[in-house]
Amino acid sequence: PCFSISTACSSSAKVFASAQRLIAAGVCDAAVVGGVDSLCFTTLYGFSSLELVAPHPCRPGDAEREGISIGEGAGFALLERRSSVPAAVALLGYGESSDAYHMSTPHPEGLGAEQAMHAALLRAGVVPAAVDYINLHGTASKTNDAAEDRAVSRLFGPDTPCSSTKGWTGHTLGAAGITEAVISALCVEHGLMPGALNTCKVDPDFRSRIILDNEERPLHTVLSNSFGFGGNNCSLLFGRAA
């Protein structure tokens, strides 16, 4: 098996893409993928110096959002060749991009984010209208949420339900990709779309459909976004295994 651990915001999502390529190339039949991040003063002081940390639990997409809440976590998943073991949920596609717009700020129009989402859909052979729910990167910072909203609304329009689960977990940094990948897989398995916790009023400038309350209905495809410093973006598309 292939084993990989990551430390950057989008990297624990990117290891899914790397593992999928290895499996598709016949290098291995399975891969353990995951990410870990623990709280330390370097992390806390570093993000505080960038004025990115909110004084209260983060409110993704809220009109009065003030920044991130840092969490810690770890997660791992076993990614296997689809034909080898029956599974309830499959990784249908992945997309990556690196827009390199700024060291810590995404492209204001979300161009790199849109490229990653489009690549995931293209690789899976899925049209935007077929995506049932989007787990946003949604850090609750002013610029990140706005850029992602522009990208999502251009590609999916105003009707696809989406939310950020970072209100529930905080931003677990190097573990964010794997944490939200697992959440997305569970959403498919259980037919749940989690509302954006702590978000009271969606930013009136947003054009995508952010849900504030949990909703339950059958889900066939869920897109999970993970974006990082330097414009490193990754989108994972999960769905019901054929």
Side-chain angles (χ1 to χ4, degrees), residues 4 6 11 34 56 60 65 75 82 86 89 99 105 120 136 144 156 169 174-175 184 186-187 205 232 242:
S4 181
S6 68
S11 293
H56 47 67
R65 63 192 183 278
R82 192 180 302 182
V89 182
D99 56 44
T105 302
L136 300 170
N144 285 358
F156 294 94
T169 65
S184 297
L186 290 172
C187 288
D205 292 331
N232 287 290

Side-chain angles (χ1 to χ4, degrees), residues 37-39 69-73 169-173:
D37 222 313
S38 59
L39 287 176
S69 296
I70 299 176
E72 62 179 350
T169 65
H171 192 343
T172 55
L173 305 176

Side-chain angles (χ1 to χ4, degrees), residues 26-232:
V27 175
C28 60
D29 295 318
V32 176
V33 296
V36 177
D37 222 313
S38 59
L39 287 176
C40 66
F41 285 125
T42 301
T43 302
L44 293 172
Y45 290 151
F47 278 94
S48 294
S49 69
L50 294 173
E51 299 182 346
L52 292 175
V53 180
H56 47 67
C58 69
R59 297 182 285 183
D62 194 278
E64 298 182 4
R65 63 192 183 278
E66 297 182 78
I68 71 174
S69 296
I70 299 176
E72 62 179 350
F76 298 92
L78 177 64
L79 190 64
E80 300 175 281
R81 193 179 302 278
R82 192 180 302 182
S83 59
S84 62
V85 178
V89 182
L91 176 63
L92 303 181
Y94 60 87
E96 300 174 277
S97 71
S98 183
D99 56 44
Y101 173 79
H102 185 271
M103 182 64 185
S104 60
T105 302
H107 190 285
E109 295 300 318
L111 297 185
E114 185 177 7
Q115 289 173 358
M117 291 186 287
H118 183 264
L121 296 175
L122 189 64
R123 185 166 277 111
V126 171
V127 297
V131 173
D132 295 313
Y133 166 69
I134 302 171
N135 187 339
L136 300 170
H137 182 58
T139 63
S141 73
K142 287 286 186 183
T143 54
N144 285 358
D145 285 9
E148 186 175 14
D149 172 73
R150 294 184 186 107
V152 168
S153 62
R154 279 198 307 272
L155 190 56
F156 294 94
D159 298 323
T160 302
C162 52
S163 65
S164 168
T165 54
K166 287 184 173 65
W168 299 87
T169 65
H171 192 343
T172 55
L173 305 176
I178 181 63
T179 300
E180 289 156 27
V182 170
I183 290 173
S184 297
L186 290 172
C187 288
V188 173
E189 185 175 356
H190 297 285
L192 172 68
M193 296 183 290
L197 185 67
N198 305 321
T199 301
C200 300
K201 180 183 177 182
V202 176
D203 191 321
D205 292 331
F206 280 16
R207 291 168 287 182
S208 53
R209 181 190 165 198
I210 295 180
I211 59 174
L212 302 184
D213 298 311
N214 294 350
E215 297 183 18
E216 295 185 46
R217 64 179 174 85
L219 301 176
H220 296 93
T221 51
V222 169
L223 186 73
S224 182
N225 286 338
S226 295
F227 308 141
F229 280 177
N232 287 290

